[in-house]
Amino acid sequence: MNKGNIILIIIFCLIGNVIYAKNLVTNELESNVEQKEIDIYEDWEVDKYNNIVRYSTHGNIVHGHRFGWIKRAGNCDTDILATTISTQKNNKDRLNDFKGENINLRINFPQADGEDPVIINTDLISIFGFANLKIAFLGNFIQGKVFDSLMAYFNTIRVEVTNPHKIYFDIPSDEFSLNGYVAAKIKAKELCEDICLLYTSPSPR
């Protein structure tokens, strides 16, 4: 993934969290933010920015936490993790030291009684600061068929930052609804393919 695309993904995936953080300061944000079209499927949202489509949902514990996936035009069958977790902890600035490094997430489905959590390896792509928050953007994990089938089957997923990075988050874990996940993923692929058609269609003479 080239530097330009990484920058686009960071801007796109953090915009929802910036809106949330600003809303902690003022309730008049809506009049100052350019609105973008969002498709809603139960608890999931689908939106797009240039050649990237994201489908995601907010945290049940912290609304500003966001768990989701992105599709890039030209590779619409691949789903890349795009998750943001915020922190207000006093030592949060230390996260800047880990930018570009691996951070493991512990994943489990609360409905799957007796099943051990799974550890997935992600990259700390960027750290974004706003007011008293630091927002960590985690990604570069490719969704597999088993992961997809589990998300389609269960209705809640729990995501937790593991040690040694867990100590930098005041709320290192959150649960996310999976209601609407399947429909959102289908819509995301449709939008992704529409973007591909737009770029490949011959220009009118």
Side-chain angles (χ1 to χ4, degrees), residues 62-129:
V62 179
H63 186 76
H65 292 172
R66 184 180 284 269
F67 172 78
W69 307 86
I70 58 172
K71 290 178 176 289
R72 294 179 58 241
N75 198 12
C76 298
D77 290 325
T78 299
D79 302 86
I80 306 170
L81 182 73
T83 291
T84 51
I85 301 176
S86 62
T87 177
Q88 301 182 69
K89 204 164 183 180
N90 291 336
N91 61 357
K92 60 185 179 294
D93 289 339
R94 285 288 312 279
L95 283 171
N96 292 309
D97 297 337
F98 304 107
K99 183 178 176 181
E101 297 185 9
N102 297 137
I103 289 186
N104 289 335
L105 298 179
R106 180 179 289 106
I107 304 292
N108 76 297
F109 299 88
Q111 292 170 291
D113 294 333
E115 294 294 328
D116 293 331
V118 174
I119 302 296
I120 65 172
N121 187 255
T122 72
D123 291 340
L124 179 56
I125 294 177
S126 183
I127 301 292
F128 181 82

Side-chain angles (χ1 to χ4, degrees), residues 29-195:
L29 175 70
E30 293 298 330
S31 60
N32 299 318
V33 176
E34 181 180 355
Q35 298 296 306
K36 64 180 186 297
E37 183 177 347
I38 298 176
D39 293 296
I40 299 176
Y41 298 89
E42 295 186 67
D43 297 324
W44 280 66
E45 302 174 354
V46 184
D47 45 11
K48 61 181 179 178
Y49 184 87
N50 287 355
N51 67 335
I52 299 168
V53 180
R54 174 182 64 177
Y55 58 109
S56 62
T57 187
H58 291 286
N60 293 339
I61 299 173
V62 179
H63 186 76
H65 292 172
R66 184 180 284 269
F67 172 78
W69 307 86
I70 58 172
K71 290 178 176 289
R72 294 179 58 241
N75 198 12
C76 298
D77 290 325
T78 299
D79 302 86
I80 306 170
L81 182 73
T83 291
T84 51
I85 301 176
S86 62
T87 177
Q88 301 182 69
K89 204 164 183 180
N90 291 336
N91 61 357
K92 60 185 179 294
D93 289 339
R94 285 288 312 279
L95 283 171
N96 292 309
D97 297 337
F98 304 107
K99 183 178 176 181
E101 297 185 9
N102 297 137
I103 289 186
N104 289 335
L105 298 179
R106 180 179 289 106
I107 304 292
N108 76 297
F109 299 88
Q111 292 170 291
D113 294 333
E115 294 294 328
D116 293 331
V118 174
I119 302 296
I120 65 172
N121 187 255
T122 72
D123 291 340
L124 179 56
I125 294 177
S126 183
I127 301 292
F128 181 82
F130 190 89
N132 64 336
L133 294 174
K134 286 289 185 180
I135 303 171
F137 172 42
L138 305 168
N140 285 350
F141 172 82
I142 305 299
Q143 181 191 103
K145 291 183 178 180
V146 174
F147 203 150
D148 175 49
S149 64
L150 290 172
M151 292 184 64
Y153 183 77
F154 295 111
N155 62 21
T156 303
I157 186 172
R158 186 172 187 268
V159 179
E160 180 181 11
V161 179
T162 65
N163 289 321
H165 305 96
K166 183 177 181 177
I167 62 173
Y168 305 110
F169 294 87
D170 53 328
I171 304 177
S173 65
D174 210 334
E175 291 189 356
F176 302 86
S177 169
L178 295 175
N179 296 325
Y181 162 75
V182 174
K185 182 175 183 178
I186 292 172
K187 180 63 176 181
K189 185 173 183 180
E190 291 176 357
L191 291 175
C192 184
E193 292 173 344
D194 287 346
I195 295 171

